[in-house]
Amino acid sequence: MQQQSVTGNNSIAVQVTGNGNHIEVIGSTHRLALNRLQDRQAEPETIIELLRTDIRAIDLVGRDAELDALKQWRNSDRAIAVRCITGRAGSGKTRLAIEACVRAETDGWTAALVSGDELRRFHDNASLMHWTFTGKLLLVVDYAATSLALLKTWFAILAPHRKTTGQGTLRILLLERQAETQSGWWQDLLRQDSLSHASAADLIGAETPIPLLPLSDIEDRRALLKATMVKAAPILRKPVVAP
């Protein structure tokens, strides 16, 4: 395993281990472990694997507009930016986020998912107050509502640096099934508890949750069905049947 040391006050480094299946964001002696789901793509051996998001057996179709929008958001001139995408279970939020990570890495970013449990562990051990970043980093937080208190604290820490240039670029993509602007966890995240310092609301700015809509184009639906049937046929030991 490659070793890397970090020196300086509140410094951070990014370490990739193995064949690209594990990332550690290192601050002093503490490590934030990121989940590189984009490295798990493989040919499915069972029907269950055919349906698994991380296996990515089927090419993503019909999401070019969403991916382009995420690229524009990622390449904005803000030092730190937050976006939230919502959608019911099975709508493709995580699949879209994985593809966004793949495209970000192609453009020279470090990109991966981070679990709420890992954010909590890292915060409890290192304190996000002392976390800084360099380079270009895209973090995806799934089930964001379960990490509401931590996100609110973290965003308040990051908010004063949202326009700072020269330090690095940080993008945080939140995924959740729903986020109402007038109630629930999103409203709580934006609630300003004090006027004496910046808060999560300042960091998020005018951003509102973006719903991930179902595929509407019939050609996209047909393409998805056909690709699934082609992949399923050898698993079921049946001939390929075109829809």
Side-chain angles (χ1 to χ4, degrees):
M1 177 177 178
Q2 181 182 4
Q3 298 294 324
Q4 181 168 355
S5 62
V6 179
T7 60
N9 295 326
N10 303 334
S11 55
I12 190 169
V14 177
Q15 175 174 293
V16 181
T17 307
N19 293 322
N21 201 32
H22 186 70
I23 287 180
E24 291 180 335
V25 179
I26 308 169
S28 300
T29 59
H30 303 286
R31 290 171 168 82
L32 175 64
L34 304 181
N35 192 4
R36 290 180 51 85
L37 291 185
Q38 62 265 39
D39 291 331
R40 298 183 187 178
Q41 187 173 29
E43 283 297 316
E45 298 180 357
T46 66
I47 292 299
I48 294 299
E49 286 189 352
L50 177 59
L51 300 176
R52 272 179 45 183
T53 300
D54 58 338
I55 294 294
R56 291 159 56 218
I58 308 300
D59 290 338
L60 189 64
V61 298
R63 296 301 185 190
D64 290 341
E66 289 84 353
L67 288 168
D68 288 344
L70 284 172
K71 182 175 181 178
Q72 291 178 12
W73 165 72
R74 172 164 49 87
N75 291 335
S76 67
D77 57 3
R78 291 172 63 93
I80 308 172
V82 176
R83 175 160 289 186
C84 177
I85 292 179
T86 63
R88 60 180 177 80
S91 62
K93 300 184 301 298
T94 304
R95 180 69 178 83
L96 178 67
I98 293 174
E99 190 66 29
C101 287
V102 171
R103 296 195 178 194
E105 288 192 327
T106 301
D107 292 338
W109 290 63
T110 297
L113 283 77
V114 57
S115 69
D117 288 343
E118 175 59 16
L119 278 177
R120 170 58 60 189
R121 184 203 63 79
F122 184 78
H123 177 63
D124 289 346
N125 286 283
S127 177
L128 292 170
M129 180 70 73
H130 303 298
W131 192 80
T132 58
F133 58 95
T134 57
K136 298 184 290 187
L137 178 62
L138 169 63
L139 298 179
V140 180
V141 181
D142 209 349
Y143 303 104
T146 62
S147 302
L148 172 61
L150 176 58
L151 290 174
K152 189 167 185 175
T153 299
W154 189 22
F155 290 176
I157 294 170
L158 292 173
H161 310 288
R162 63 191 182 278
K163 297 180 181 180
T164 303
T165 59
Q167 177 181 353
T169 304
L170 175 63
R171 298 291 178 262
I172 303 173
L173 179 61
L174 307 179
L175 306 179
E176 190 49 83
R177 293 184 181 182
Q178 60 80 31
E180 302 294 335
T181 57
Q182 302 301 319
S183 63
W185 74 275
W186 184 260
Q187 183 190 46
D188 289 343
L189 180 62
L190 296 183
R191 183 177 295 114
Q192 197 154 2
D193 298 325
S194 173
L195 297 178
S196 62
H197 53 77
S199 68
D202 298 295
L203 181 63
I204 295 172
E207 281 278 348
T208 57
I210 301 172
L212 185 62
L213 302 177
L215 293 179
S216 59
D217 192 303
I218 189 65
E219 293 304 319
D220 288 336
R221 294 186 179 190
R222 286 182 180 274
L224 182 59
L225 177 59
K226 181 178 180 179
T228 304
M229 293 174 70
V230 169
K231 289 285 186 177
I235 297 175
L236 298 174
R237 297 181 181 178
K238 294 184 177 182
V240 176
V241 178

